Amino acid sequence: MTGASGAQYGLRLLEFLLQNGHRVYLLMSRPAQVVVNMETEHRLPGRASEIQAYFSDLYSAQPGQLQVFEREQWAAPIASGSGVADATVVCPCTTGTLSAIACGSSRNLIERAADVCLKERKKLILVVRETPFSEIHLENMLKLARMGVIIMPANPGFYQRPTSVQELVDFMVARVLDHLNIPHRLLPRWGDALQVE
Ligand SMILES: Cc1cc2nc3c(=O)[nH]c(=O)nc-3n(C[C@H](O)[C@H](O)[C@H](O)COP(=O)(O)O)c2cc1C
């Protein structure tokens, strides 16, 4: 998670993955923690071990199911190609982290994990949040899309006639899960249960 608006998207994805038996490595930038505290009811502690305990308890994770790493914990498995995850999702993704990934900076563990994912040809999904996009943002997204990165701007649809913020959040999380090939029932499929008058 990075410090773009839309912390709810990342938290809902985390909740879904943990409650459906997936193993998750969570990395949060410092701005992401600030945004979580501003946009949600959560008051996150500062250290990775405390955040791990907080979310494990909140989402009833099994022991070892969730691991949270510090920003410069270079011994974490995901810092190396030999420990790369099946897929990496940056959700929400700032334009700053988008830029760092596009030029391979690897100056913190989030950037490094994404860089490893790219070099190992693993799935990388960026839920970018900004509006409007500058030419720099668009060029960075195009560069990464051409490498196979899935650029998925936080941009929910309204055709399911949402009546709550939760439904809008679930829309985005559902689309991310689709690209992770994880079954879910967060959103009716296009053509199923959609009424056209
Ligand atoms: C409440 C809040 C909302 C923000 N929203 C966005 C946003 O939607 N998109 C974005 O690119 N940056 C946003 N920012 C700015 C980033 O947090 C800032 O550029 C930060 O340096 C990004 O660092 P990170 O990518 O390591 O998280 C926001 C900051 C705050 C405090």
Side-chain angles (χ1 to χ4, degrees):
M1 293 180 67
T2 62
S5 188
Q8 292 93 332
Y9 295 122
L11 295 177
R12 181 72 171 118
L13 180 62
L14 176 66
E15 177 184 26
F16 183 95
L17 291 172
L18 292 176
Q19 292 184 345
N20 287 273
H22 298 277
R23 201 162 158 221
V24 180
Y25 296 147
L26 174 66
L27 311 174
M28 296 186 85
S29 68
R30 187 75 70 194
Q33 286 179 253
V34 171
V35 176
V36 167
N37 289 339
M38 287 180 73
E39 292 189 339
T40 74
E41 302 302 311
H42 302 286
R43 293 294 167 265
L44 293 183
R47 295 153 75 114
S49 57
E50 295 166 335
I51 295 173
Q52 180 175 308
Y54 178 80
F55 284 130
S56 296
D57 183 48
L58 185 70
Y59 298 137
S60 308
Q62 297 299 311
Q65 195 188 355
L66 173 66
Q67 280 179 272
V68 183
F69 299 112
E70 297 286 355
R71 280 162 284 274
E72 297 201 3
Q73 195 171 337
W74 302 112
I78 45 178
S80 162
S82 60
V84 68
D86 295 336
T88 301
V89 186
V90 186
C91 178
C93 181
T94 63
T95 53
T97 292
L98 166 74
S99 162
I101 295 171
C103 66
S105 330
S106 294
R107 285 170 309 180
N108 61 42
L109 192 57
I110 295 177
E111 296 170 10
R112 172 64 182 163
D115 201 52
V116 168
C117 195
L118 281 176
K119 83 182 175 77
E120 300 296 331
R121 305 287 196 270
K122 296 286 186 178
K123 187 170 284 185
L124 177 59
I125 299 175
L126 306 183
V127 183
V128 182
R129 214 306 312 177
E130 189 48 273
T131 196
F133 290 127
S134 74
E135 202 170 319
I136 295 172
H137 306 151
L138 293 166
E139 280 183 352
N140 285 332
M141 286 191 275
L142 180 59
K143 180 177 174 184
L144 289 171
R146 284 179 170 154
M147 291 179 211
V149 175
I150 298 163
I151 304 293
M152 195 172 266
N155 194 358
F158 288 78
Y159 50 79
Q160 82 285 20
R161 298 192 181 178
T163 55
S164 67
V165 172
Q166 188 63 50
E167 284 177 69
L168 292 169
V169 171
D170 279 359
F171 181 101
M172 275 314 303
V173 172
R175 298 300 289 124
V176 171
L177 292 169
D178 289 343
H179 281 269
L180 292 172
N181 300 317
I182 293 176
H184 64 83
R185 302 188 62 174
L186 294 183
L187 182 71
R189 297 273 148 206
W190 181 254
D192 288 350
L194 285 171
Q195 303 289 321
V196 180
E197 289 165 11

